């Protein structure tokens, strides 16, 4: 016991002489006796002890905070410059989609069905923007009988696919007397010979009707009058919509956004109206209509000529890849115009997959709601790459895709519009028409 007490006293004496203990107190403070574990705990955790320990560790703490701050801001700044590829750049939930719309205009029953098919596709693909359908004011939505297909389709567009119906007065171009339709092809007097390649997209319609579709193409200019919207995408109706294009509504501001008619590049740089993203303006609508008047427009200027004249140098131009593809591309042997280079290999499945729109343009093949003349199909159908026309033929991707595009259109036309295809025209055509403006004697 005496040895234990002596050892304890020596330990207390040693602690009193330790400088660290005395540094915890001012010179006039009395060092508490360290005779118990409680007193030792008091020394280690007193306010003065904690404060002195904090002062000694401050440099290290500041270094740690600086490192954390640098890591945070460098990471945050990097994310601002390079957002993760999986993170959406647009907060679609915050977009007021009622300010945007897709538009169609119709002037006859065939194109009414096409427009309803466009709206069905947009609805099926989940587009959030409004849909507007402009139709002749002499039509109505009252179904007179079971054969009143136009009224039925107008109601279907409104009730099933959310289209807003807008009756309008159809606008027409007055054709010049020099314009004739001969042999199913449209010949026009033009200072540079043939009218540009965009006219070829419409020639097939001549095979089954005397009323050329481009006579009423000025009607699309009425889209500019729909000023209740900030932006409108006007689509040609002879298309298959594979993906909606809602993201285009959020592009930087531009009066008109269009694509190049890539099939004419590089010799002719023209815009195509396969789709037009526009900002409505009454002033622009008046300007376009004034240009469409026969007394002010140049001879043989139609909708595409006018759009190119007014916006060819100012439109925002979108790349055609990922947005627009013509069906005739699958019949072509040279794809460098679509690809935009000479080194990339044509992949028909990839081209179809990446296109938002496929526009049916296959002169002299008729539009997809018109059946094919068999002899014309034999001449113009895409061929296989290996041993075409034999039992050993292979490499038929272009042919298969091309045929399916037309068959799919016809199936949907029957399902959505309950309409069969128009009978095939005679080929080669034998008729010759002297055509003048509608209503002339």
């Amino acid at each position: 016991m005496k040895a234990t007490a002596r050892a304890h006293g020596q330990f207390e004496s040693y602690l009193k002489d330790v400088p660290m203990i005395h540094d915890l107190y001012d010179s006039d403070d009395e060092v508490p006796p360290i005779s118990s574990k409680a007193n030792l705990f008091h020394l280690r955790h007193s306010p003065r002890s904690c404060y002195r320990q904090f002062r000694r560790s401050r440099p290290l703490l500041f270094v740690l905070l600086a490192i954390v701050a640098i890591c945070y801001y460098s990471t945050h700044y990097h994310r601002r410059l390079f957002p993760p590829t999986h993170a959406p750049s647009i907060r679609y939930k915050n977009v007021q989609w009622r300010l945007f719309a897709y538009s169609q205009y119709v002037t006859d029953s065939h194109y009414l069905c096409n427009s309803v098919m466009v709206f069905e596709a947009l609805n099926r693909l989940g587009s959030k923007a409004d849909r507007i359908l402009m139709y002749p004011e002499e039509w109505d939505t009252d179904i007179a009988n079971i054969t009143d297909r136009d009224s039925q389709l107008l109601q279907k567009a409104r009730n099933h696919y959310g289209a807003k119906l807008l009756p309008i007065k159809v606008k027409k171009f007055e054709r010049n007397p020099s314009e004739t339709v001969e042999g199913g092809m449209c010949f026009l007097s033009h200072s540079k010979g043939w009218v540009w390649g965009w006219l070829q997209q419409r020639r097939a319609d001549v095979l089954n009707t005397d009323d050329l579709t481009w006579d009423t193409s000025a009607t699309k200019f009425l889209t500019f009058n729909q000023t209740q919207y900030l932006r409108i995408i006007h689509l040609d109706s002879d298309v298959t919509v594979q993906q909606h294009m809602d993201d285009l509504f959020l592009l930087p501001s531009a009066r008109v956004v269009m694509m190049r008619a890539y099939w004419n590049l590089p010799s002719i740089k023209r815009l195509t109206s396969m789709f037009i993203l526009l900002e409505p303006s009454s002033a622009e609508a008046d300007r376009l209509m004034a240009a469409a008047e026969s007394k002010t427009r140049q001879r043989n200027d139609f909708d595409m000529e006018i759009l190119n004249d007014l916006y060819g140098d100012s439109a925002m131009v979108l790349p055609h890849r990922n947005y627009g593809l013509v069906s005739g591309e699958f019949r072509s042997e040279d794809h460098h115009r679509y690809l935009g280079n000479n080194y990339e290999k044509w992949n028909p499945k990839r081209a179809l997959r990446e296109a938002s729109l496929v526009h049916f343009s296959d002169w002299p093949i008729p539009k997809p709601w018109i059946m094919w003349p068999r002899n014309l199909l034999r001449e113009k159908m895409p061929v296989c790459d290996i041993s075409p026309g034999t039992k050993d033929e292979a490499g038929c991707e272009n042919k298969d895709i091309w045929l399916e595009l037309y068959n799919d259109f016809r199936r949907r036309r029957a399902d959505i519009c309950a309409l069969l295809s128009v009978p095939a025209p005679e080929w080669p055509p034998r008729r010759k028409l002297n055509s003048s403006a509608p209503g002339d004697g």
Side-chain angles (χ1 to χ4, degrees), residues 287-355:
R287 181 182 176 213
L288 286 161
M289 286 303 175
E293 294 294 332
S294 60
K295 293 181 180 179
T296 58
R297 68 182 176 92
Q298 296 297 315
R299 174 171 294 199
N300 303 324
D301 279 358
F302 299 100
D303 61 320
M304 279 308 307
E305 293 288 340
I306 291 173
L307 288 169
N308 275 276
D309 289 344
L310 296 185
Y311 303 114
D313 296 328
S314 61
M316 179 189 294
V317 179
L318 282 182
H320 57 271
R321 293 184 67 170
N322 297 326
Y323 291 107
L325 174 68
V326 294
S327 57
E329 192 65 37
F330 298 99
R331 293 174 51 227
S332 176
E333 296 180 357
D334 182 4
H335 303 284
H336 80 276
R337 292 182 179 86
Y338 172 79
L339 296 174
N341 58 68
N342 292 315
Y343 60 82
E344 192 173 352
K345 185 178 180 180
W346 166 251
N347 185 328
K349 289 184 178 179
R350 176 183 175 183
L352 180 66
R353 184 172 60 250
E354 70 184 12

Side-chain angles (χ1 to χ4, degrees), residues 24 42-54 56:
L24 298 177
H42 172 74
L43 284 174
R44 291 177 178 173
H45 299 279
S46 66
R48 288 182 180 275
S49 173
C50 294
Y51 174 71
R52 287 177 182 270
Q53 292 179 29
F54 171 74
R56 289 171 180 162

Side-chain angles (χ1 to χ4, degrees), residues 9 25 90 154 173 196 221 258-259 308 334 376 420 431 437:
Y25 296 89
I90 300 172
L154 286 174
F173 289 126
W196 304 120
F221 298 158
M258 301 174 72
M259 291 185 335
N308 275 276
D334 182 4
L376 174 63
L420 298 177
R431 62 182 177 168

